[in-house]
Structure formats: C-alpha cells, structure tokens
Amino acid sequence: MSQATNEKFYFSAFDSGFQAGIYVSDARTFDVLYANQLMKDAYPILRDSKAGGLKCYEMFFPGTDSPCENCPHHELLNDSGLTVTHEDYNPWSEEYFRVHYSIVDWDDRPAIFHTLIDISEIRRAEASLQKQINQQLVITEISRMFASVMDLDEVIVKSTQKMIEFLELNAVYIMKTNIEDDYFYLSHSSTKPNYTPIVKPSDRLPIERDKPLYQSFLAGKPWILKDFSMVTSAQRDVFDRSSSTAFIGVPIHYENDIWAMLCCTSQLPNYEWAADDIRFLQTICNIFTSGLERRLREKELIERDRLLEEAKLAAENANRSKSEFLSQMSHEIRTPLNAIIGMTTLIKRGDISKTEREQLTQIDISSNLLLGIINDILDMSKIEANKMTLEAKPFSLDELLHTVHDIVSVRAREKQQQFVLDIDPDIPRFLIGDSLRITQIITNLAYNAVKFSNPGSTIRLRTRALAITHNSATLCFDIIDKGIGMTEEQVSRLFSPFEQANKGIARKYGGSGLGLAIVKSLVDLMSGTVSVVSAPGEGSTFSVQLTLLQCGEGALTQNEVVDIADAVDLSGKCILVAEDVEINRQILIALLEPTNVQIECAENGQIAVDMVDKHPGKYDAILMDVQMPVMDGHTAAKTIREGGYTLPIIAMTANVFKEDVDTALAAGMTAHIAKPIDIDLLLHTLVKYIQ
C-alpha cells in the first residue's frame, strides 16, 4: 500500500470514531477530495455533487467563485509543518465552528486536512452569560444613578445611554404620558450612531384606555409590535417607519397609572424578545418606578419645605408686623395715659372737695383698668411669640402674699368685700423664682374672684404646702370665692385667649378675656398646674400648684428693693429730663417736686447731648424718653456714652416689649421705666442710682 493510500486508510479509520466534521481539499485547486458523514449531513451539497466537481468555498457560500478571505491554503503550502486554527460562523446554518487546518499528502498531491468542531452551544452560552452580565451592569448603574443626587432628567438620559452602550439595542425611547390629552410623547431618547430613530419629538401616540391593548399594558404586560392590527392608524403611522418589527414597549407605573413607556428596538433584524429580555426591561421599569416615587416624594418634600419656609417667613413677618404694631399702639396709648394718670395724681394732692376726689378716683380706676388691658395684650403677645422669659431670684413669700393682699384689698373694698389671707405656717419663707410673675398669677385670679363675687362677699387666698424637701417646696395657692360660679362647659373654655364664660359676662363685668389665658401660660412656663372647681351659683376655687427652690434669708440682701420713705429727699441732686412732650415734662416736674431735686429739661436728644457736654459733671442722672424728634433717645444715650460720661441714663418710654428694654440697655442706658410712670418705681430707681 502506498503512503498516500495508507494516509487515506488512516483518515477513514480516524473519521469513524471522531465526532467532528472532516473534509480534505486540494491545496491548489480547492477541490473537495473527501468529506465524512457529519460534513455531508451538515452540508447536503456534498452529497449531491460529483467527486471533484465542488470547491470547498462553494460548500460554505453557494454561488461564490473565490476562496474565503481567511483561507490559509497559501500559508500551509509554504510551510508544511504549520497548523492553523480559527473560528468561523456559518450564517446559513447560524452555527459557530472551530476549524483546524494542516497540510497532508493525498494521492501524491498536497491537500488541506480540515476538522470542524461545532462550538455553537458554547458560543451561545457565552453570549447569554455576557448578555446577563451586561444587563446586570445596566441595572446596577441605573440603580446607582437613581440613588445619587443627580437631576432626574440627567438620570433618565444616562440610563437610556447605558442601555444602548451595553445591550444589543439601536434605540431606547422614554414616551411620557400626557394625562390631560391622553397621548404618549417622546421625552428622552438614545440611539446607536448613524441610526435614524423611528419616533420623533413631534409624534403623538394616542392612548385608548378602553382598548384591550391599553388594559393589558396597564396590567404591566409588554407591548411587542408584530401584529399592527392591534394599533391605531396614528400609531401605525409612527411604527411603519421602522423596517424592523423588533420593537417592545414596557410600562413605567406611578401611583396606579402609567407614567411613561420604555420603548426599545433591537439592532438585530426580526429579533424575538425572549422571556429574559422582557424580565430585564420590567426590572428596569421597576427601578424607574421606585426611583420616580423617591425622587417625586423628595421633590414634594422639598416643595413642602419651601412652602413651609415661606409660611414661616410670612408668619415671622406677620409676627414682626404685629409686634411693631403693638409696640406703636402701646406707645400711642400709654403716652396720653401717662398724662391722665399723672395729672390725676397731681390734682388729688391738692385741696379738692370730696365729690371731686371721688370723681378723680373713678378716673384713676378707669385709667389703671385700661392700662391693665394693654399690659394683658402685651403679655399675651410675648407668650405667643415665645418671648416671655422668667427670672429665678430669691424672694420672701410672706412679702409677696401681703403685697397681693394690699393690691387686691383696694379693689375688694370698692365692692364692700373682704379679701383675707390663710397661710400655712409650715410654708418656707424664702424661695427662688419669678416673684413678679407669681404675683401677677395670684393677683389676676384674685381680681377675677372680686369681679364675679357679690358685694359683701369674702374672697379667701389660702396658701398651703403639698410637699417640702430640704431644697424645694411644692405649694398650692387656692383662691376661693362664693360668686356666680360656672358650668363644666364654661370651665372647659376658660383658659383660652379672648374667652369668657358667656357673652353676657363681658357686657356685665367687662374684661378682655386674656387674664386667665395669661395665668395658664405663665403657670405652664413654671412647670406648674392650674385647675378650677366650680358650680353655678356656688362660687369657684382656682388652684395653682408650683414647685420652687428654697433659699436662706441671706440670699435676699443683694436683691431686696430699697425702701422708700414717705418723703424722699434728693436735695442737692440735679436731673436732666429729655422729653419732647410738654405735658409729660410738667407731670414729671410736679411728681418729683416733693423730693427737692433740681430738674432741667431738654426737648430732644440732641439738646440733651449738648447740655451734658456743656455742663460735664452737673447732672446726677438723665431721664431719657426714647421717641423724640431730631435725635432719638437711643442715639442720644450712645453719643453720651461715646463721650466718656458714666452718669445713670434711665429710659423712660411707652415702649415696653422685652426687645425694647434690651435695645435701651444695648444703647448704654442704665435702666428702663415704662410709661405711664409709676412714681414709686421711679423713686426707687432714682434712689438706687443717685443717692
């Protein structure tokens, strides 16, 4: 047997047990010399052709008259020891092969020995794995972008670009819904380079909510365009532009409706959308939905915060305007009240008849009642603006209770009533707290008892200890009357601002309806409680419970008020009064006349500054009005302090808000006295600073 015949024998034997396609072709003419059964099964042309009548390249590409571009025949002829391996794809059978080439001697002529191993499953598995990897990459990237601070439009644009970059798609569209007019419109799109999109910005795809297609779409099922009978003529006009039916639309839901449609076209012609494609796109849409919900909620929260901030600013502006208005009104009302109360006090000092004194007393009572209403309104305003502050200073409880008794007894006597104290002897005498506000609480309640009790009645202030420790005391102040009483329904409304038991109360007894609301607010600020037990016709008992710290008597020495003698002697002292209203100057001069103090006047702040500069060391104190022409009191005080003068400057103004006091002190003033002028407080202040 010749060597060539021997090779052919071995090839035949080798082929019988080898699961690969094998064929032999002439290295020069490309004629097919041999093919095994697997090759003939894969390429039927091998069975039909006569021996020597078929070129190898015709086997793969029928009708072709030239060798394949990657054919290694010439390389193998030049190097007989060479082996070549590469992979081929057969578009006719859609299969992948790994092909090995080597040179052999076949019937004494050079031939190429080919082995073809089918690797289609491997390649398809690899392609499927790569596709899953790319899909997961896109899912991760889109999720990351939605979780970032990136703008929503930017997220959508980059999401569609990522899908184009990593997936076999030539176009991705976001078709948003126009709820008012029921159509889809193009909002975002990304395409492969040189691809003409089938959907244009001007396109409008009608939404037909009553059609099965939309109902299916609403249920989350994808829209795969193959059967154009399912779409409307307007929709068909859009999708007929595409030469491929590889189109899919998946709904993006938001709040039980369709927010948009994610549309894709494959770059592969007549692509069949597999189940994993649909699941992937639905996952993307779910990410869009959850991302949208979060972003839109954030947008709503941002908008809500913006509106809240605007409302807060508006409320602050309104509150500022209200405070400015109240401050101005307080000033405007207190200024004439200062004249009324001051002149009444001066006239009562003179020699007048009993009838005239009684008439002046009524004027005095009415003026102070009006002043009390103004003070209540200002206190309520401070409480509502959270600007009410409490002091914590040592005080004598005995002195506080007797002060309340003295104040309330004057009003009780006017109604032929008695106001009596009932003090538990075990109560600590010296405590720490805001004695002024505690006095205000008890006085307000006692005034109410006087107001709503009949002539001849007795009102009792009972003070008892509920609990005492080594450093604190829980006290109860009971104000007991036998007045008109109240029903449970009336009691339930009692501590609300501007509320009274009924409309007839205001007409018969008067009052602003703020007193008890202020009492409740002050007690709350002190972490105490206030309650009432009442019955119609049987009277009422108001109870206030407060827990206060104890202190020794020695703690009072630095805080006690200087006692004022019946006649304060300020002989040898000189005071400068800076006041632009002439009647106020006259009243001050008259009120201070018994003290023998020398008084000089300035009609505005500039004159006051000039007088201090002209007579340095002459004045022992300045009583400085705040609102004056030419130069106001604050500016005048600053100017005097800048000149190096240290004499006491006492603000004397109808502006009584805390911020007004703070502004006065910040301007360099020493103290603040509110108008109408309380002569006792004025004398205390003068004695404190100049005597």
Side-chain angles (χ1 to χ4, degrees), residues 180-206:
E180 291 77 15
D181 299 321
D182 264 3
Y183 61 76
F184 290 106
Y185 65 95
L186 183 67
S187 64
H188 303 81
S189 69
S190 292
T191 61
K192 287 282 187 185
N194 303 319
Y195 175 78
T196 302
I198 64 172
V199 183
K200 299 178 181 178
S202 59
D203 288 330
R204 297 291 182 266
L205 301 184

PDB file of all heavy atoms in Angstrom, residues 180-206:
ATOM      1  N   GLU A 180     -53.764  64.858  30.577  1.00  0.00           N
ATOM      2  CA  GLU A 180     -54.897  65.707  30.192  1.00  0.00           C
ATOM      3  C   GLU A 180     -55.432  65.346  28.810  1.00  0.00           C
ATOM      4  O   GLU A 180     -56.644  65.265  28.602  1.00  0.00           O
ATOM      5  CB  GLU A 180     -54.486  67.186  30.215  1.00  0.00           C
ATOM      6  CG  GLU A 180     -54.216  67.758  31.598  1.00  0.00           C
ATOM      7  CD  GLU A 180     -52.872  67.338  32.150  1.00  0.00           C
ATOM      8  OE1 GLU A 180     -52.043  66.836  31.350  1.00  0.00           O
ATOM      9  OE2 GLU A 180     -52.635  67.499  33.365  1.00  0.00           O
ATOM     10  N   ASP A 181     -54.519  65.129  27.857  1.00  0.00           N
ATOM     11  CA  ASP A 181     -54.948  64.905  26.474  1.00  0.00           C
ATOM     12  C   ASP A 181     -54.813  63.452  26.031  1.00  0.00           C
ATOM     13  O   ASP A 181     -55.084  63.130  24.870  1.00  0.00           O
ATOM     14  CB  ASP A 181     -54.133  65.799  25.530  1.00  0.00           C
ATOM     15  CG  ASP A 181     -54.340  67.276  25.835  1.00  0.00           C
ATOM     16  OD1 ASP A 181     -55.486  67.646  26.139  1.00  0.00           O
ATOM     17  OD2 ASP A 181     -53.362  68.031  25.786  1.00  0.00           O
ATOM     18  N   ASP A 182     -54.407  62.561  26.925  1.00  0.00           N
ATOM     19  CA  ASP A 182     -54.337  61.117  26.654  1.00  0.00           C
ATOM     20  C   ASP A 182     -53.502  60.774  25.429  1.00  0.00           C
ATOM     21  O   ASP A 182     -54.015  60.247  24.430  1.00  0.00           O
ATOM     22  CB  ASP A 182     -55.754  60.545  26.518  1.00  0.00           C
ATOM     23  CG  ASP A 182     -56.235  59.953  27.832  1.00  0.00           C
ATOM     24  OD1 ASP A 182     -55.498  60.049  28.826  1.00  0.00           O
ATOM     25  OD2 ASP A 182     -57.337  59.380  27.860  1.00  0.00           O
ATOM     26  N   TYR A 183     -52.219  61.035  25.491  1.00  0.00           N
ATOM     27  CA  TYR A 183     -51.327  60.542  24.449  1.00  0.00           C
ATOM     28  C   TYR A 183     -49.926  60.374  25.028  1.00  0.00           C
ATOM     29  O   TYR A 183     -49.584  60.939  26.057  1.00  0.00           O
ATOM     30  CB  TYR A 183     -51.300  61.470  23.238  1.00  0.00           C
ATOM     31  CG  TYR A 183     -50.806  62.879  23.493  1.00  0.00           C
ATOM     32  CD1 TYR A 183     -49.446  63.162  23.661  1.00  0.00           C
ATOM     33  CD2 TYR A 183     -51.706  63.949  23.555  1.00  0.00           C
ATOM     34  CE1 TYR A 183     -48.995  64.448  23.905  1.00  0.00           C
ATOM     35  CE2 TYR A 183     -51.257  65.243  23.805  1.00  0.00           C
ATOM     36  CZ  TYR A 183     -49.903  65.485  23.973  1.00  0.00           C
ATOM     37  OH  TYR A 183     -49.454  66.751  24.218  1.00  0.00           O
ATOM     38  N   PHE A 184     -49.126  59.520  24.343  1.00  0.00           N
ATOM     39  CA  PHE A 184     -47.710  59.379  24.660  1.00  0.00           C
ATOM     40  C   PHE A 184     -46.926  60.361  23.800  1.00  0.00           C
ATOM     41  O   PHE A 184     -47.251  60.558  22.626  1.00  0.00           O
ATOM     42  CB  PHE A 184     -47.204  57.962  24.366  1.00  0.00           C
ATOM     43  CG  PHE A 184     -47.740  56.907  25.296  1.00  0.00           C
ATOM     44  CD1 PHE A 184     -48.700  56.008  24.862  1.00  0.00           C
ATOM     45  CD2 PHE A 184     -47.277  56.799  26.596  1.00  0.00           C
ATOM     46  CE1 PHE A 184     -49.187  55.030  25.698  1.00  0.00           C
ATOM     47  CE2 PHE A 184     -47.758  55.822  27.442  1.00  0.00           C
ATOM     48  CZ  PHE A 184     -48.723  54.930  27.005  1.00  0.00           C
ATOM     49  N   TYR A 185     -45.860  60.943  24.389  1.00  0.00           N
ATOM     50  CA  TYR A 185     -44.994  61.814  23.606  1.00  0.00           C
ATOM     51  C   TYR A 185     -43.541  61.523  23.986  1.00  0.00           C
ATOM     52  O   TYR A 185     -43.256  61.055  25.094  1.00  0.00           O
ATOM     53  CB  TYR A 185     -45.316  63.292  23.847  1.00  0.00           C
ATOM     54  CG  TYR A 185     -45.038  63.768  25.244  1.00  0.00           C
ATOM     55  CD1 TYR A 185     -43.822  64.388  25.574  1.00  0.00           C
ATOM     56  CD2 TYR A 185     -45.975  63.601  26.262  1.00  0.00           C
ATOM     57  CE1 TYR A 185     -43.562  64.817  26.860  1.00  0.00           C
ATOM     58  CE2 TYR A 185     -45.715  64.022  27.557  1.00  0.00           C
ATOM     59  CZ  TYR A 185     -44.513  64.629  27.848  1.00  0.00           C
ATOM     60  OH  TYR A 185     -44.244  65.042  29.127  1.00  0.00           O
ATOM     61  N   LEU A 186     -42.637  61.770  23.051  1.00  0.00           N
ATOM     62  CA  LEU A 186     -41.222  61.479  23.268  1.00  0.00           C
ATOM     63  C   LEU A 186     -40.613  62.506  24.217  1.00  0.00           C
ATOM     64  O   LEU A 186     -40.630  63.700  23.940  1.00  0.00           O
ATOM     65  CB  LEU A 186     -40.480  61.485  21.933  1.00  0.00           C
ATOM     66  CG  LEU A 186     -38.990  61.131  21.994  1.00  0.00           C
ATOM     67  CD1 LEU A 186     -38.813  59.676  22.395  1.00  0.00           C
ATOM     68  CD2 LEU A 186     -38.322  61.394  20.651  1.00  0.00           C
ATOM     69  N   SER A 187     -40.042  62.021  25.339  1.00  0.00           N
ATOM     70  CA  SER A 187     -39.385  62.927  26.286  1.00  0.00           C
ATOM     71  C   SER A 187     -37.869  62.731  26.298  1.00  0.00           C
ATOM     72  O   SER A 187     -37.118  63.682  26.503  1.00  0.00           O
ATOM     73  CB  SER A 187     -39.944  62.732  27.695  1.00  0.00           C
ATOM     74  OG  SER A 187     -39.654  61.442  28.180  1.00  0.00           O
ATOM     75  N   HIS A 188     -37.399  61.489  26.073  1.00  0.00           N
ATOM     76  CA  HIS A 188     -35.970  61.205  26.066  1.00  0.00           C
ATOM     77  C   HIS A 188     -35.693  60.084  25.069  1.00  0.00           C
ATOM     78  O   HIS A 188     -36.514  59.178  24.908  1.00  0.00           O
ATOM     79  CB  HIS A 188     -35.465  60.759  27.450  1.00  0.00           C
ATOM     80  CG  HIS A 188     -35.730  61.737  28.545  1.00  0.00           C
ATOM     81  ND1 HIS A 188     -36.966  61.830  29.183  1.00  0.00           N
ATOM     82  CD2 HIS A 188     -34.943  62.684  29.118  1.00  0.00           C
ATOM     83  CE1 HIS A 188     -36.913  62.772  30.089  1.00  0.00           C
ATOM     84  NE2 HIS A 188     -35.698  63.312  30.087  1.00  0.00           N
ATOM     85  N   SER A 189     -34.531  60.134  24.418  1.00  0.00           N
ATOM     86  CA  SER A 189     -34.164  59.043  23.508  1.00  0.00           C
ATOM     87  C   SER A 189     -32.656  58.959  23.384  1.00  0.00           C
ATOM     88  O   SER A 189     -31.946  59.958  23.517  1.00  0.00           O
ATOM     89  CB  SER A 189     -34.795  59.248  22.131  1.00  0.00           C
ATOM     90  OG  SER A 189     -34.215  60.361  21.470  1.00  0.00           O
ATOM     91  N   SER A 190     -32.180  57.723  23.149  1.00  0.00           N
ATOM     92  CA  SER A 190     -30.769  57.472  22.855  1.00  0.00           C
ATOM     93  C   SER A 190     -30.710  56.444  21.737  1.00  0.00           C
ATOM     94  O   SER A 190     -31.510  55.491  21.719  1.00  0.00           O
ATOM     95  CB  SER A 190     -30.034  56.936  24.093  1.00  0.00           C
ATOM     96  OG  SER A 190     -29.944  57.928  25.087  1.00  0.00           O
ATOM     97  N   THR A 191     -29.772  56.631  20.796  1.00  0.00           N
ATOM     98  CA  THR A 191     -29.673  55.718  19.659  1.00  0.00           C
ATOM     99  C   THR A 191     -28.219  55.379  19.381  1.00  0.00           C
ATOM    100  O   THR A 191     -27.299  56.098  19.786  1.00  0.00           O
ATOM    101  CB  THR A 191     -30.291  56.342  18.396  1.00  0.00           C
ATOM    102  OG1 THR A 191     -29.559  57.538  18.073  1.00  0.00           O
ATOM    103  CG2 THR A 191     -31.753  56.684  18.596  1.00  0.00           C
ATOM    104  N   LYS A 192     -28.031  54.261  18.668  1.00  0.00           N
ATOM    105  CA  LYS A 192     -26.704  53.928  18.161  1.00  0.00           C
ATOM    106  C   LYS A 192     -26.292  54.971  17.131  1.00  0.00           C
ATOM    107  O   LYS A 192     -27.141  55.581  16.478  1.00  0.00           O
ATOM    108  CB  LYS A 192     -26.727  52.545  17.503  1.00  0.00           C
ATOM    109  CG  LYS A 192     -26.813  51.381  18.463  1.00  0.00           C
ATOM    110  CD  LYS A 192     -25.469  51.094  19.093  1.00  0.00           C
ATOM    111  CE  LYS A 192     -25.532  49.805  19.921  1.00  0.00           C
ATOM    112  NZ  LYS A 192     -24.274  49.552  20.644  1.00  0.00           N
ATOM    113  N   PRO A 193     -24.989  55.188  16.959  1.00  0.00           N
ATOM    114  CA  PRO A 193     -24.534  56.124  15.916  1.00  0.00           C
ATOM    115  C   PRO A 193     -25.062  55.718  14.545  1.00  0.00           C
ATOM    116  O   PRO A 193     -25.167  54.529  14.226  1.00  0.00           O
ATOM    117  CB  PRO A 193     -23.007  56.005  15.981  1.00  0.00           C
ATOM    118  CG  PRO A 193     -22.719  55.529  17.368  1.00  0.00           C
ATOM    119  CD  PRO A 193     -23.856  54.633  17.745  1.00  0.00           C
ATOM    120  N   ASN A 194     -25.429  56.708  13.759  1.00  0.00           N
ATOM    121  CA  ASN A 194     -25.895  56.512  12.376  1.00  0.00           C
ATOM    122  C   ASN A 194     -27.233  55.776  12.290  1.00  0.00           C
ATOM    123  O   ASN A 194     -27.598  55.279  11.221  1.00  0.00           O
ATOM    124  CB  ASN A 194     -24.848  55.754  11.537  1.00  0.00           C
ATOM    125  CG  ASN A 194     -23.507  56.468  11.517  1.00  0.00           C
ATOM    126  OD1 ASN A 194     -23.451  57.692  11.410  1.00  0.00           O
ATOM    127  ND2 ASN A 194     -22.433  55.706  11.648  1.00  0.00           N
ATOM    128  N   TYR A 195     -27.942  55.709  13.403  1.00  0.00           N
ATOM    129  CA  TYR A 195     -29.269  55.082  13.359  1.00  0.00           C
ATOM    130  C   TYR A 195     -30.321  56.184  13.385  1.00  0.00           C
ATOM    131  O   TYR A 195     -30.268  57.093  14.211  1.00  0.00           O
ATOM    132  CB  TYR A 195     -29.469  54.139  14.544  1.00  0.00           C
ATOM    133  CG  TYR A 195     -30.869  53.562  14.602  1.00  0.00           C
ATOM    134  CD1 TYR A 195     -31.242  52.515  13.764  1.00  0.00           C
ATOM    135  CD2 TYR A 195     -31.816  54.083  15.471  1.00  0.00           C
ATOM    136  CE1 TYR A 195     -32.524  51.990  13.801  1.00  0.00           C
ATOM    137  CE2 TYR A 195     -33.103  53.566  15.521  1.00  0.00           C
ATOM    138  CZ  TYR A 195     -33.456  52.523  14.683  1.00  0.00           C
ATOM    139  OH  TYR A 195     -34.730  52.009  14.718  1.00  0.00           O
ATOM    140  N   THR A 196     -31.271  56.085  12.475  1.00  0.00           N
ATOM    141  CA  THR A 196     -32.352  57.075  12.410  1.00  0.00           C
ATOM    142  C   THR A 196     -33.504  56.603  13.276  1.00  0.00           C
ATOM    143  O   THR A 196     -34.086  55.545  13.011  1.00  0.00           O
ATOM    144  CB  THR A 196     -32.845  57.257  10.969  1.00  0.00           C
ATOM    145  OG1 THR A 196     -31.747  57.649  10.153  1.00  0.00           O
ATOM    146  CG2 THR A 196     -33.948  58.311  10.919  1.00  0.00           C
ATOM    147  N   PRO A 197     -33.813  57.319  14.338  1.00  0.00           N
ATOM    148  CA  PRO A 197     -34.881  56.863  15.237  1.00  0.00           C
ATOM    149  C   PRO A 197     -36.236  56.857  14.538  1.00  0.00           C
ATOM    150  O   PRO A 197     -36.509  57.695  13.686  1.00  0.00           O
ATOM    151  CB  PRO A 197     -34.848  57.888  16.377  1.00  0.00           C
ATOM    152  CG  PRO A 197     -34.180  59.089  15.808  1.00  0.00           C
ATOM    153  CD  PRO A 197     -33.215  58.596  14.786  1.00  0.00           C
ATOM    154  N   ILE A 198     -37.077  55.894  14.933  1.00  0.00           N
ATOM    155  CA  ILE A 198     -38.402  55.800  14.304  1.00  0.00           C
ATOM    156  C   ILE A 198     -39.413  56.712  14.995  1.00  0.00           C
ATOM    157  O   ILE A 198     -40.451  57.035  14.428  1.00  0.00           O
ATOM    158  CB  ILE A 198     -38.918  54.348  14.316  1.00  0.00           C
ATOM    159  CG1 ILE A 198     -39.132  53.862  15.753  1.00  0.00           C
ATOM    160  CG2 ILE A 198     -37.966  53.428  13.573  1.00  0.00           C
ATOM    161  CD1 ILE A 198     -39.825  52.526  15.842  1.00  0.00           C
ATOM    162  N   VAL A 199     -39.118  57.136  16.242  1.00  0.00           N
ATOM    163  CA  VAL A 199     -40.030  58.012  16.971  1.00  0.00           C
ATOM    164  C   VAL A 199     -39.439  59.416  17.002  1.00  0.00           C
ATOM    165  O   VAL A 199     -38.271  59.601  17.336  1.00  0.00           O
ATOM    166  CB  VAL A 199     -40.273  57.508  18.402  1.00  0.00           C
ATOM    167  CG1 VAL A 199     -41.281  58.405  19.124  1.00  0.00           C
ATOM    168  CG2 VAL A 199     -40.767  56.067  18.390  1.00  0.00           C
ATOM    169  N   LYS A 200     -40.248  60.382  16.647  1.00  0.00           N
ATOM    170  CA  LYS A 200     -39.804  61.773  16.592  1.00  0.00           C
ATOM    171  C   LYS A 200     -40.444  62.586  17.723  1.00  0.00           C
ATOM    172  O   LYS A 200     -41.519  62.230  18.212  1.00  0.00           O
ATOM    173  CB  LYS A 200     -40.170  62.388  15.239  1.00  0.00           C
ATOM    174  CG  LYS A 200     -39.517  61.683  14.054  1.00  0.00           C
ATOM    175  CD  LYS A 200     -39.976  62.311  12.749  1.00  0.00           C
ATOM    176  CE  LYS A 200     -39.345  61.600  11.550  1.00  0.00           C
ATOM    177  NZ  LYS A 200     -39.817  62.175  10.278  1.00  0.00           N
ATOM    178  N   PRO A 201     -39.811  63.692  18.121  1.00  0.00           N
ATOM    179  CA  PRO A 201     -40.380  64.519  19.207  1.00  0.00           C
ATOM    180  C   PRO A 201     -41.791  65.012  18.917  1.00  0.00           C
ATOM    181  O   PRO A 201     -42.555  65.265  19.841  1.00  0.00           O
ATOM    182  CB  PRO A 201     -39.388  65.687  19.314  1.00  0.00           C
ATOM    183  CG  PRO A 201     -38.104  65.134  18.800  1.00  0.00           C
ATOM    184  CD  PRO A 201     -38.483  64.168  17.708  1.00  0.00           C
ATOM    185  N   SER A 202     -42.121  65.176  17.649  1.00  0.00           N
ATOM    186  CA  SER A 202     -43.456  65.697  17.304  1.00  0.00           C
ATOM    187  C   SER A 202     -44.532  64.623  17.314  1.00  0.00           C
ATOM    188  O   SER A 202     -45.723  64.931  17.198  1.00  0.00           O
ATOM    189  CB  SER A 202     -43.408  66.348  15.921  1.00  0.00           C
ATOM    190  OG  SER A 202     -42.993  65.399  14.942  1.00  0.00           O
ATOM    191  N   ASP A 203     -44.138  63.359  17.450  1.00  0.00           N
ATOM    192  CA  ASP A 203     -45.113  62.261  17.395  1.00  0.00           C
ATOM    193  C   ASP A 203     -46.020  62.273  18.616  1.00  0.00           C
ATOM    194  O   ASP A 203     -45.589  62.579  19.732  1.00  0.00           O
ATOM    195  CB  ASP A 203     -44.407  60.910  17.301  1.00  0.00           C
ATOM    196  CG  ASP A 203     -43.780  60.683  15.933  1.00  0.00           C
ATOM    197  OD1 ASP A 203     -44.326  61.227  14.953  1.00  0.00           O
ATOM    198  OD2 ASP A 203     -42.769  59.970  15.851  1.00  0.00           O
ATOM    199  N   ARG A 204     -47.256  61.922  18.404  1.00  0.00           N
ATOM    200  CA  ARG A 204     -48.237  61.774  19.469  1.00  0.00           C
ATOM    201  C   ARG A 204     -48.914  60.426  19.294  1.00  0.00           C
ATOM    202  O   ARG A 204     -49.593  60.182  18.295  1.00  0.00           O
ATOM    203  CB  ARG A 204     -49.285  62.904  19.425  1.00  0.00           C
ATOM    204  CG  ARG A 204     -48.711  64.299  19.648  1.00  0.00           C
ATOM    205  CD  ARG A 204     -48.241  64.478  21.071  1.00  0.00           C
ATOM    206  NE  ARG A 204     -47.730  65.823  21.332  1.00  0.00           N
ATOM    207  CZ  ARG A 204     -46.453  66.159  21.252  1.00  0.00           C
ATOM    208  NH1 ARG A 204     -45.561  65.243  20.886  1.00  0.00           N
ATOM    209  NH2 ARG A 204     -46.051  67.382  21.519  1.00  0.00           N
ATOM    210  N   LEU A 205     -48.710  59.533  20.265  1.00  0.00           N
ATOM    211  CA  LEU A 205     -49.336  58.214  20.207  1.00  0.00           C
ATOM    212  C   LEU A 205     -50.573  58.233  21.086  1.00  0.00           C
ATOM    213  O   LEU A 205     -50.477  58.330  22.312  1.00  0.00           O
ATOM    214  CB  LEU A 205     -48.371  57.138  20.703  1.00  0.00           C
ATOM    215  CG  LEU A 205     -47.048  56.999  19.950  1.00  0.00           C
ATOM    216  CD1 LEU A 205     -46.248  55.836  20.507  1.00  0.00           C
ATOM    217  CD2 LEU A 205     -47.282  56.797  18.467  1.00  0.00           C
ATOM    218  N   PRO A 206     -51.755  58.173  20.484  1.00  0.00           N
ATOM    219  CA  PRO A 206     -52.987  58.249  21.285  1.00  0.00           C
ATOM    220  C   PRO A 206     -53.085  57.115  22.295  1.00  0.00           C
ATOM    221  O   PRO A 206     -52.699  55.982  22.023  1.00  0.00           O
ATOM    222  CB  PRO A 206     -54.089  58.148  20.225  1.00  0.00           C
ATOM    223  CG  PRO A 206     -53.444  58.540  18.947  1.00  0.00           C
ATOM    224  CD  PRO A 206     -52.024  58.076  19.045  1.00  0.00           C
TER     225      PRO A 206
END
